[in-house]
Amino acid sequence: MRVAILTSGGDCPGINATIRGVCKTAINHYGMEVLGIHSGFQGLLTCDAELLTDKSLSGLLNLGGTILGTSREKPFKKGGIMPDVDKPALIEENIRKLGIDCLVCIGGNGTQKTAAKLSARGVNVVSVPKTIDNDIWGTDFSFGFDSAVNIATDAIDRLHSTASAHKRVMVIEVMGHKAGWIALYSGMAGGGDVILIPEIPYHINNIADTILNRLKRGKPYSIVVVAEGISTGDNKRAAVHIAQEIEFATGIETRETVLGYIQRGGSPTPFDRNLSTRMGGHATELIVNGSYGRMVALSGDKIGSIPLQEVAGKLKLVTEAHDLVVQGRRMGICFG
Ligand code: F6P
């Protein structure tokens, strides 16, 4: 049996550990052949592939990025490379040409959508959820999230001392796309005083009251964690907008930090390495059992899978009933 594997969308820690989990199980345990497709769906359009061997899988567990490369090519959407070509048909033709029996897609929401569409056309596909944003429907966690939260929490920890020394308000913007998972988890773990996420509307007066109340209680500095996806009403970055509003409303010197791509780089945490290994292994099990059209998913501590058609087009967002929000509010943290 010949399996192909690709990584698509933004990279994140744990992709290589997942490639390793899929390929070592497929090659060493099941005697399959594995073809690595370069640069996501772009490589399926151009037949850019290499045969992976046990040797090419060494040193991957803690390696950031993706050895296969990635792209944001979406073959069912207009744009990208080969704009005048029927890309889904070309992909099907290339899958036949390369002798691929099943395609493993490692990616975020866009990738799950593409995988679902290919599956609906009859291509044998299984997928693994990958994103620091943790916003993929149907899985409790995606790998990459824990690593990003660790990096963001470390950054917030470091802001406390400089904020305290200067008696400033420090605003830190973290990633997450349209979801507030990274802001919520790192904000709570890092002791943020205000946490703003796209799912909960905010009013600048509530934020200012929280900061001024802290000042009255002898706490002259505050940490504000904002998700990049909050609405600002202007074109400014979330952190810049919020920092300016806070300084204007409180009169306290305020600085902003945008953490950016550091959250996506470097090696995965032990939690993400093990999640990647388990998810990659399970993807291979799905192939062996002929359970195509499914995405590997974590539910509680169990790895299982759900139909791609159920995942595609949905977003998993934070709700106000999440226990970190409920508990945070009870402890006086302002969510807007
Ligand atoms: O989805 C992962 C993510 O890092 C988001 O948090 C962020 O909004 C986006 O990707 C950045 O995308 P790009 O790599 O295209 O700049």
Side-chain angles (χ1 to χ4, degrees), residues 133 135 176-180 198-199 228-229 315 317:
D133 302 335
D135 60 350
H177 201 222
K178 291 179 180 153
E199 295 89 337
E228 63 176 356
L315 271 186
L317 297 174

Side-chain angles (χ1 to χ4, degrees), residues 29-106:
H29 190 66
Y30 288 114
M32 298 174 180
E33 234 177 37
V34 185
L35 214 49
I37 308 288
H38 296 155
S39 309
F41 292 103
Q42 198 175 299
L44 265 187
L45 292 165
T46 56
C47 285
D48 184 3
E50 64 173 312
L51 202 58
L52 297 175
T53 62
D54 190 45
K55 196 158 171 255
S56 48
L57 301 171
S58 289
L60 295 192
L61 193 53
N62 60 354
L63 186 68
T66 162
I67 53 160
L68 296 174
T70 186
S71 71
R72 292 208 186 266
E73 170 63 36
K74 295 187 174 81
F76 288 90
K77 271 198 164 176
K78 286 207 182 326
I81 60 161
M82 304 177 177
D84 303 324
V85 167
D86 179 350
K87 293 190 202 176
L90 179 59
I91 284 179
E92 283 174 346
E93 192 187 315
N94 289 344
I95 283 177
R96 269 194 302 276
K97 218 193 274 173
L98 294 167
I100 297 167
D101 298 304
C102 178
L103 178 66
V104 180
C105 300
I106 301 174

Side-chain angles (χ1 to χ4, degrees), residues 10-11 72 131-133 175-177 182 228 261 264:
D11 74 323
R72 292 208 186 266
T131 173
I132 62 166
D133 302 335
M175 281 184 165
H177 201 222
I182 299 177
E228 63 176 356
Y261 293 90
R264 264 167 46 176

Side-chain angles (χ1 to χ4, degrees), residues 12-219:
C12 78
I15 299 183
N16 287 322
T18 308
I19 294 173
R20 175 179 176 270
V22 172
C23 299
K24 284 207 168 192
T25 319
I27 297 169
N28 299 340
H29 190 66
Y30 288 114
M32 298 174 180
E33 234 177 37
V34 185
L35 214 49
I37 308 288
H38 296 155
S39 309
F41 292 103
Q42 198 175 299
L44 265 187
L45 292 165
T46 56
C47 285
D48 184 3
E50 64 173 312
L51 202 58
L52 297 175
T53 62
D54 190 45
K55 196 158 171 255
S56 48
L57 301 171
S58 289
L60 295 192
L61 193 53
N62 60 354
L63 186 68
T66 162
I67 53 160
L68 296 174
T70 186
S71 71
R72 292 208 186 266
E73 170 63 36
K74 295 187 174 81
F76 288 90
K77 271 198 164 176
K78 286 207 182 326
I81 60 161
M82 304 177 177
D84 303 324
V85 167
D86 179 350
K87 293 190 202 176
L90 179 59
I91 284 179
E92 283 174 346
E93 192 187 315
N94 289 344
I95 283 177
R96 269 194 302 276
K97 218 193 274 173
L98 294 167
I100 297 167
D101 298 304
C102 178
L103 178 66
V104 180
C105 300
I106 301 174
N109 278 308
T111 307
Q112 305 305 332
K113 230 191 240 178
T114 303
K117 286 186 176 161
L118 284 175
S119 169
R121 286 173 72 110
V123 176
N124 294 338
V125 183
V126 302
S127 71
V128 186
K130 165 237 69 172
T131 173
I132 62 166
D133 302 335
N134 201 37
D135 60 350
I136 301 178
W137 182 267
T139 184
D140 289 355
F141 291 104
S142 51
F143 70 80
F145 174 64
D146 186 64
S147 304
V149 168
N150 263 271
I151 295 160
T153 303
D154 179 60
I156 297 166
D157 284 349
R158 287 167 191 278
L159 286 179
H160 278 271
S161 56
T162 173
S164 162
H166 288 265
K167 300 185 176 57
R168 282 173 173 159
V169 176
M170 286 291 184
V171 179
I172 177 165
E173 178 183 314
V174 296
M175 281 184 165
H177 201 222
K178 291 179 180 153
W181 293 108
I182 299 177
L184 176 63
Y185 272 68
S186 64
M188 289 298 288
D193 305 298
V194 177
I195 299 171
L196 304 181
I197 60 176
E199 295 89 337
I200 303 179
Y202 63 90
H203 198 290
I204 202 69
N205 293 348
N206 295 338
I207 300 167
D209 284 351
T210 303
I211 292 166
L212 292 171
N213 276 332
R214 278 176 54 78
L215 185 62
K216 270 189 216 144
R217 287 183 283 125
K219 298 172 184 194

